[in-house]
Amino acid sequence: MASPQQPVKEYLAALQKGEGEEALGLLRAKIPSSNPAMLDGTALQTAVSKMSDVKVGNPEARGSNRMAVPVDYSLDGSRLHTEFLMERTGTQWLFFAKWAFVPTTLPTIEVTVVNASEATLNGVPVNMPNGRNNFAVLFPGKYEASLNGTYFEAPAASALVSTRDGGQAPLNLQTRSTAAMNEAVAGKVREFLDSCAAQATEQQRLQPDCPFYHASNARVVDGTIKWEITEYPKITIEPFGGKWVVAPLDGKATLTAREIDLFTGFVNDLNVEHDFSFTTQLDVSGDAVTVTPMLTF
């Protein structure tokens, strides 16, 4: 403890071991009003797992009884610099100075996630009330958040924290639907359209209770009407107003039939493709996905 550098070295070693209590004791840091999930164990070890080439520099005077210890290091490929402010707190063995960190306030990371109440931060599941939470963090360190759900996910986003002055780093997750979610919705949409086309064919209706219809002045021969979906809608799911919505669904349906021209009496083969569009209401509860078509007539 006779050198201002010694407590810094011990502090960095505590970070690498994931010993948050020891690191906090050495740092003499105040924990702000925030979530403490990143201050110990796996989350803390992960924060410094990509720190390398650490060089603790020579102390530099910062006024009476204070010294600054510079530390240069690489963190996930970025070359960074942190300065630790130390103060003399007495002597030991009569001659040797005792040094300790000047008390400070821990920095924080504010994590936000679109339309989700949970996320993963440095490998640890964390709650995100109303899509937001604030985490106290030790420094230096890398903090990476992501969301890996069955139906919704967010690509990893990270922040490098090197400051000692109680600052705040934003970390925003952009949630999107997963391939499994898109396929689940697409399957329900296909099921609805296929059922609608089959029912329209069975009921021999040109204007069924479906997103598609056909208008004609000719008389159609009974038993010849057949509807078929020839292009299914592409699924796009987006956040809106705190919910998830499916973008308007566009597709194509083909009608085949035999019709009689009322003026000439000729019987013609009818084969026509109609564009259609409709909207849906999406509800997700746990593993259950409900898609409700919203049709207007």
Side-chain angles (χ1 to χ4, degrees):
M1 302 298 288
S3 163
Q5 297 145 306
Q6 186 59 31
V8 174
K9 293 177 181 178
E10 293 181 3
Y11 168 73
L12 295 175
L15 295 184
Q16 292 173 334
K17 291 184 290 185
E19 296 179 353
E21 186 175 354
E22 180 182 349
L24 281 170
L26 287 166
L27 193 60
R28 302 166 72 194
K30 176 184 177 182
I31 301 176
S33 178
S34 56
N35 190 304
M38 296 295 104
L39 299 181
D40 198 26
T42 300
L44 180 55
Q45 282 184 301
T46 301
V48 295
S49 62
K50 294 185 178 181
M51 189 168 70
S52 60
D53 194 20
V54 180
K55 296 181 180 179
V56 180
N58 295 323
E60 302 170 1
R62 289 290 187 271
S64 177
N65 292 323
R66 287 192 172 186
M67 302 285 283
V69 177
V71 179
D72 294 288
Y73 51 94
S74 293
L75 185 57
D76 196 28
S78 297
R79 194 66 185 167
L80 300 176
H81 174 88
T82 299
E83 187 175 274
F84 293 96
L85 190 60
M86 316 299 292
E87 64 182 1
R88 185 171 176 172
T89 58
T91 59
Q92 60 182 357
W93 305 108
L94 300 178
F95 304 105
F96 300 104
K98 293 177 62 177
W99 293 92
F101 289 85
V102 172
T104 187
T105 299
L106 290 182
T108 60
I109 289 180
E110 184 179 37
V111 182
T112 61
V113 59
V114 176
N115 284 8
S117 59
E118 61 183 7
T120 298
L121 185 57
N122 274 22
V124 176
V126 293
N127 291 324
M128 301 290 293
N130 298 316
R132 183 181 301 270
N133 211 337
N134 203 37
F135 298 88
V137 295
L138 287 159
F139 59 93
K142 177 185 178 183
Y143 296 89
E144 183 174 277
S146 62
L147 175 64
N148 300 294
T150 302
Y151 293 136
F152 298 102
E153 63 184 4
S158 62
L160 302 181
V161 180
S162 60
T163 181
R164 63 173 297 278
D165 298 321
Q168 186 178 76
L171 211 167
N172 304 316
L173 293 178
Q174 300 301 316
T175 317
R176 63 192 181 193
S177 59
T178 64
M181 180 61 170
N182 292 346
E183 182 54 38
V185 172
K188 293 183 179 298
V189 169
R190 287 195 298 268
E191 181 181 351
F192 162 71
L193 291 173
D194 287 343
S195 175
C196 215
Q199 189 175 48
T201 300
E202 180 182 355
Q203 296 176 350
Q204 290 292 287
R205 296 179 61 183
L206 295 178
Q207 300 181 0
D209 297 332
C210 295
F212 44 83
Y213 68 94
H214 177 73
S216 174
N217 291 323
R219 184 166 66 85
V220 176
V221 178
D222 289 339
T224 65
I225 294 175
K226 181 179 180 182
W227 284 100
E228 182 180 2
I229 307 301
T230 49
E231 184 177 311
Y232 292 95
K234 295 181 180 179
I235 305 300
T236 302
I237 302 173
E238 301 170 335
F240 180 78
K243 298 181 179 181
W244 291 100
V245 297
V246 181
L249 300 170
D250 301 321
K252 297 179 185 296
T254 296
L255 168 68
T256 57
R258 291 178 64 77
E259 62 180 5
I260 302 173
D261 190 302
L262 297 179
F263 295 101
T264 65
F266 290 139
V267 178
N268 302 311
D269 289 330
L270 177 67
N271 189 325
V272 59
E273 186 176 64
H274 288 289
D275 296 330
F276 64 82
S277 181
F278 67 106
T279 60
T280 60
Q281 178 179 310
L282 174 64
D283 295 295
V284 183
S285 178
D287 293 332
V289 177
T290 304
V291 180
T292 305
M294 310 293 287
L295 304 180
T296 57
F297 302 102

